[in-house]
Amino acid sequence: MKKRRLLIATAYLLSLLTSVSSTAWAEELSSSENKQYQTNFADTSLLGGVTYTQQYFQVENYWNVTSVEVHLDYEISGLMQNDRSSVTLSINGKPFHSFRPVIQETKQQQLTVLVPVSYIVKGVNTLTVQGNFETTSQLAVNACLPTDTRDNWLQIAKTSRISVNYANTPIQKNIRDFNEHFIGLDTINDGQNAIVITEGESNLAVLEAATYALSGFAKVNPVSEKGIPIVTYSADNLKSKQAIILISVYNDLPEEVKSTIPSDDLDNRAIIKLVTFAGKPTLVVTSIDTALLVKAARLIGNQSLLTQLDTDTKVVDLTTEVETPAASVSRNMTLTETGDKLVGDRHRERAYFISLPGNRSIADASKLSIKYRYAKNLDFDRSMVTILINDTPIGSKKLSTELADNDHIDIAIPKTLNISGNFTVKVAFDLELKNAGCMENQDQMPWAFVEKDSMLQLNTKDKADMLFNNYPYPFLRDGSYNQLAVVLPKEHDTYIYQTITNIFNLLGRYAQTNAGEVLFYQDNVAASQLKNREVIAIGSYQNNQVIRTNNDKLYFQYNKNGTGFVSNEKMSIEANYGTRIGSLQLIDSPYGSGFGLLAVTGSSSEYVYLASKLIGSEGTLWKVFGDGAITDIDGQINAFRFKKITTAEPSTVLTDVMNRKDVLGFMIAVVLVASMVILSFILLIRKYRKKRRDRR
């Protein structure tokens, strides 16, 4: 009896502890406080009689939205007819507010309005600002007056914004939900996440693993101007973080974490486990074997796999598949999976984003085949469709009543566009109605529909010029890391880790796969280990042997003492100023023909970090061109091209034909037919001559 009571008491106690543990987890990972996330407009002009603009904003799956507020700062034309003009706001196609713009003494006006929460969806939401503007007065009851003029305008200022008020739901105890929170808009914008590494004998292997993990998250980072940091384990570095990924070999794990993962579980395996560490949700990636640690980190860099993990633990062994599919660089691809409907008169458009590795550019014989249909009540003398790439028109076609049910446009992509990396294809319809000024505007009329059979035939080629204009080439090739070696100083301070963070947040955005190789080395690395590798050398003349050894090959060279940069043929540098600048230099690698070496360097690690900021985001990368750049603490940037401009070999008819498979096939057929004809003539001539001889 006593034993039974003891068992019941023990079971009750375990149940209570489990309940307390679950409650503690929920409390630690939840944040019930009200938060706000703002999305700002770009400067936008609404021109013409009936016009619209759209603004997109994101709502995360784990947000409990309490209210959404739209704030507009706008100016209107002084010729606007107040009683005949209106503006309507819609969310996801549902109108929720209309007003008449009123001319006032103050130029800029404000409007703040609440959006019905029931209209908001998880994911991407679309705010449409639809304007119907009149600048001419009604002269007669039945008069039809033109309205589409440049006098009709409403200017929306960039101070306009959409504010989402919400509370976070608790992180569920599974890896998939942790991942959602880790890459959430608010988490990244507030700097509340980090990839944490431990320092020890295996530091370089741990850095390699962290790089693969970071690349996977950087690719889906919704806040492009803010990177995900790699930091070392310390109380200060964890203080402001709410979501942590801890990557470490097992022996270097903090004892608090190590106690949650028995070493017996790590025989020929790596563990990915969600735990609570320092009161915060932490995804631990660990193994005794550094090769398996790297493999587990590649899994973390595969977002497709990460979003499928509904448990709090994942075991990775030698047989676990972790690789992403190889990036396809020449392919036929559909623009839309189900087709897209456009509704309304005047100008309507739909954009399609095309992902392309940064080192690839569009080659000859790439073309678009767009299939579409449209309403038959249009003014076909004025209605047309236009195809644009990156907002540059490449072709147009008039709409017609005969082809309304089954129309198409096939158009080659001009090679003069020089498109490399990601780009946008836009299909724009101008759906004009007859006597539009005398007709009431109808929501569902007219319309156009882009068919799902619309295709892009994409052929690409390498951009092999070693210039920042083509960055991230040569360090990425076809969407994968290209045998990359990163050489670091022996001592790694905070600035060095911030430099690594900057470099791999941008490279990770371009990396389409988790394949390829990134190896880290100390500055005393042997030249043989860098042979036939792309090299990034980080540090100063004093603390990085690779930079010191190759100083004579740099465009901006250090002085004899290695304390600062000296003048060259492109720029005069004062001696003291040379000690207070950072530099990016992309030179031909001395360790292998056809390979590159990027020196991210300065007299101290602070200026090394300053230089790395230039290649830390797409927002700063455009400021760098050529193959050598200097920047200072005041934000002054000087970029130059030192390599001589080589003129491309003139293309010949033969090379043009060899690059066009369709033309090549046609030419072969023509040659075969011509050969048959010539052979037939020869046989006929021989036969004719033989008959003549026989007659003689």
Side-chain angles (χ1 to χ4, degrees):
M1 188 70 176
K2 287 182 180 179
K3 287 184 178 180
R4 185 181 176 190
R5 286 178 180 174
L6 182 60
L7 288 171
I8 292 172
T10 303
Y12 176 75
L13 182 60
L14 287 172
S15 173
L16 184 62
L17 286 173
T18 303
S19 174
V20 170
S21 175
S22 298
T23 304
W25 173 269
E27 288 176 354
E28 286 164 355
L29 306 187
S30 66
S31 177
S32 58
E33 64 181 34
N34 289 325
K35 296 184 176 183
Q36 185 180 84
Y37 192 87
Q38 291 187 351
T39 302
N40 285 79
F41 282 66
D43 278 325
T44 305
S45 297
L46 298 182
L47 300 172
V50 180
T51 183
Y52 75 101
T53 186
Q54 292 181 323
Q55 179 69 40
Y56 304 96
F57 64 98
Q58 180 88 11
V59 171
E60 299 290 353
N61 289 331
Y62 58 88
W63 290 1
N64 281 330
V65 177
T66 55
S67 64
V68 177
E69 194 175 82
V70 176
H71 179 84
L72 292 181
D73 293 324
Y74 64 94
E75 296 180 23
I76 61 171
S77 167
L79 303 178
M80 198 82 75
Q81 295 291 315
N82 298 341
D83 57 340
R84 301 184 61 217
S85 301
S86 65
V87 177
T88 297
L89 307 181
S90 304
I91 284 284
N92 301 322
K94 299 178 181 178
F96 64 91
H97 184 79
S98 295
F99 67 96
R100 294 193 184 279
V102 179
I103 299 174
Q104 297 179 352
E105 292 183 5
T106 56
K107 280 191 174 182
Q108 193 173 88
Q109 302 180 47
Q110 288 81 35
L111 171 73
T112 301
V113 59
L114 287 173
V115 180
V117 175
S118 59
Y119 291 2
I120 302 298
V121 299
K122 301 291 187 182
V124 178
N125 290 260
T126 306
L127 171 69
T128 303
V129 182
Q130 175 90 40
N132 187 3
F133 304 137
E134 297 280 357
T135 55
T136 52
S137 59
Q138 192 78 26
L139 301 178
V141 175
N142 295 320
C144 294
L145 302 173
T147 59
D148 191 9
T149 70
R150 291 292 173 180
D151 299 335
N152 307 22
W153 58 265
L154 182 143
Q155 178 73 28
I156 300 175
K158 62 182 179 182
T159 52
S160 301
R161 58 194 177 274
I162 303 165
S163 302
V164 180
N165 300 295
Y166 65 96
N168 280 342
T169 58
I171 298 180
Q172 303 301 310
K173 201 170 182 181
N174 63 68
I175 296 172
R176 182 182 67 178
D177 199 54
F178 171 87
N179 177 58
E180 244 180 29
H181 283 72
F182 188 84
I183 57 174
L185 275 170
D186 51 344
T187 308
I188 294 176
N189 195 61
D190 297 338
Q192 293 183 338
N193 63 353
I195 295 175
V196 179
I197 63 173
T198 56
E199 293 187 294
E201 292 182 2
S202 303
N203 180 246
L204 297 180
V206 173
L207 260 176
E208 180 188 349
T211 297
Y212 299 138
L214 173 61
S215 298
F217 290 116
K219 194 161 43 261
V220 295
N221 180 356
V223 188
S224 59
E225 66 274 13
K226 287 200 174 183
I228 299 168
I230 294 178
V231 300
T232 54
Y233 167 64
S234 72
D236 286 341
N237 285 338
L238 300 185
K239 190 180 299 180
S240 62
K241 307 305 178 185
Q242 297 300 320
I244 300 163
I245 294 177
L246 176 59
I247 300 177
S248 171
V249 292
Y250 184 77
N251 291 335
D252 294 332
L253 281 175
E255 289 300 325
E256 183 182 343
V257 177
K258 194 182 291 187
S259 63
T260 66
I261 305 173
S263 59
D264 295 343
D265 293 345
L266 296 173
D267 291 337
N268 298 317
R269 296 190 299 180
I271 294 288
I272 302 171
K273 187 171 184 179
L274 187 58
V275 303
T276 302
F277 174 51
K280 297 169 183 178
T282 304
L283 188 64
V284 179
V285 184
T286 189
S287 179
I288 296 172
D289 184 344
T290 55
L292 282 170
L293 178 70
V294 167
K295 186 170 186 178
R298 288 189 190 272
L299 188 149
I300 295 294
N302 186 334
Q303 276 291 310
S304 179
L305 293 179
L306 213 57
T307 57
Q308 299 171 27
L309 299 177
D310 284 333
T311 61
D312 64 351
T313 304
K314 172 65 178 176
V315 175
V316 178
D317 57 27
L318 295 173
T319 64
T320 307
E321 295 290 339
V322 301
E323 288 80 13
T324 55
S328 177
V329 294
S330 293
R331 59 196 187 275
N332 292 332
M333 56 189 303
T334 56
L335 298 181
T336 170
E337 294 295 330
T338 58
D340 292 313
K341 184 179 180 181
L342 299 90
V343 175
D345 62 342
R346 312 293 175 99
H347 189 79
R348 306 285 163 171
E349 58 188 34
R350 186 59 53 90
Y352 303 98
F353 178 79
I354 308 299
S355 177
L356 191 65
N359 67 297
R360 308 289 295 186
S361 61
I362 295 181
D364 292 349
S366 294
K367 63 181 181 181
L368 282 158
S369 178
I370 311 296
K371 297 182 180 180
Y372 51 92
R373 44 194 168 88
Y374 39 86
K376 294 184 178 180
N377 61 337
L378 300 173
D379 182 351
F380 289 106
D381 290 331
R382 299 188 300 138
S383 297
M384 64 188 301
V385 62
T386 302
I387 310 300
L388 306 95
I389 292 185
N390 289 345
D391 290 324
T392 299
I394 62 170
S396 297
K397 182 180 178 181
K398 281 187 67 176
L399 307 185
S400 65
T401 184
E402 296 83 8
L403 298 174
D405 293 329
N406 185 20
D407 205 346
H408 73 281
I409 178 172
D410 296 330
I411 187 166
I413 299 176
K415 59 182 179 182
T416 54
L417 291 181
N418 292 324
I419 295 170
S420 59
N422 302 332
F423 63 97
T424 302
V425 174
K426 189 177 290 183
V427 181
F429 289 92
D430 288 292
L431 306 175
E432 302 292 341
L433 295 173
K434 292 182 179 179
N435 302 318
C438 302
M439 297 175 60
E440 182 181 354
N441 187 41
Q442 301 293 325
D443 285 342
Q444 300 299 317
M445 181 273 291
W447 58 268
F449 189 85
V450 180
E451 300 282 5
K452 64 180 181 180
D453 296 334
S454 298
M455 300 286 294
L456 167 63
Q457 180 182 318
L458 184 62
N459 298 317
T460 65
K461 61 183 179 182
D462 267 325
K463 292 193 71 173
D465 293 331
M466 210 168 294
L467 301 169
F468 288 118
N469 311 57
N470 300 330
Y471 191 83
Y473 178 85
F475 308 107
L476 288 178
R477 190 178 183 89
D478 296 340
S480 298
Y481 285 113
N482 188 20
Q483 299 298 304
L484 178 56
V486 183
V487 184
L488 302 175
K490 185 175 181 180
E491 301 296 329
H492 309 159
D493 61 12
T494 301
Y495 284 120
I496 294 299
Y497 284 112
Q498 289 176 334
T499 298
I500 295 170
T501 292
N502 283 337
I503 292 172
F504 284 97
N505 264 283
L506 185 61
L507 288 178
R509 290 191 76 84
Y510 286 101
Q512 294 182 314
T513 75
N514 64 353
E517 189 174 58
V518 181
L519 296 180
F520 285 83
Y521 298 97
Q522 300 287 17
D523 77 300
N524 59 355
V525 58
S528 59
Q529 292 181 280
L530 302 180
K531 187 177 180 181
N532 296 333
R533 286 188 175 276
E534 311 295 346
V535 180
I536 297 178
I538 298 172
S540 68
Y541 180 97
Q542 306 288 351
N543 64 19
N544 195 311
Q545 179 180 290
V546 169
I547 293 173
R548 189 164 57 250
T549 303
N550 295 291
N551 184 48
D552 61 331
K553 301 178 183 66
L554 297 179
Y555 305 126
F556 291 95
Q557 297 178 4
Y558 283 94
N559 58 31
K560 292 181 179 179
N561 299 322
T563 55
F565 295 104
V566 297
S567 302
N568 59 22
E569 71 272 23
K570 298 284 187 178
M571 183 178 178
S572 298
I573 300 176
E574 190 270 331
N576 186 40
Y577 183 72
T579 65
R580 297 182 286 107
I581 55 180
S583 176
L584 293 176
Q585 304 183 52
L586 187 55
I587 67 174
D588 293 322
S589 174
Y591 306 107
S593 177
F595 293 85
L597 187 153
L598 171 62
V600 186
T601 185
S603 60
S604 69
S605 57
E606 176 185 359
Y607 299 111
V608 172
Y609 163 67
L610 198 64
S612 74
K613 291 172 69 175
L614 298 179
I615 51 173
S617 71
E618 291 166 324
T620 53
L621 180 60
W622 68 270
K623 300 177 183 178
V624 185
F625 57 87
D627 44 24
I630 289 287
T631 183
D632 61 26
I633 200 165
D634 297 320
Q636 181 72 29
I637 300 170
N638 294 287
F640 305 96
R641 175 166 181 162
F642 291 87
K643 294 187 186 76
K644 292 181 180 179
I645 300 175
T646 56
T647 56
E649 293 182 8
S651 62
T652 63
V653 174
L654 180 60
T655 56
D656 288 342
V657 169
M658 293 301 292
N659 288 329
R660 290 285 301 270
K661 292 183 179 180
D662 52 346
V663 176
L664 182 62
F666 176 74
M667 292 296 293
I668 290 172
V670 169
V671 170
L672 288 174
V673 171
S675 300
M676 293 288 290
V677 171
I678 293 171
L679 182 61
S680 299
F681 273 119
I682 292 172
L683 292 174
L684 285 172
I685 291 171
R686 289 183 64 185
K687 182 178 180 181
Y688 177 72
R689 285 179 175 174
K690 186 178 180 182
K691 286 183 177 180
R692 289 185 62 185
R693 285 197 298 268
D694 292 343
R695 288 172 186 168
R696 288 175 182 171

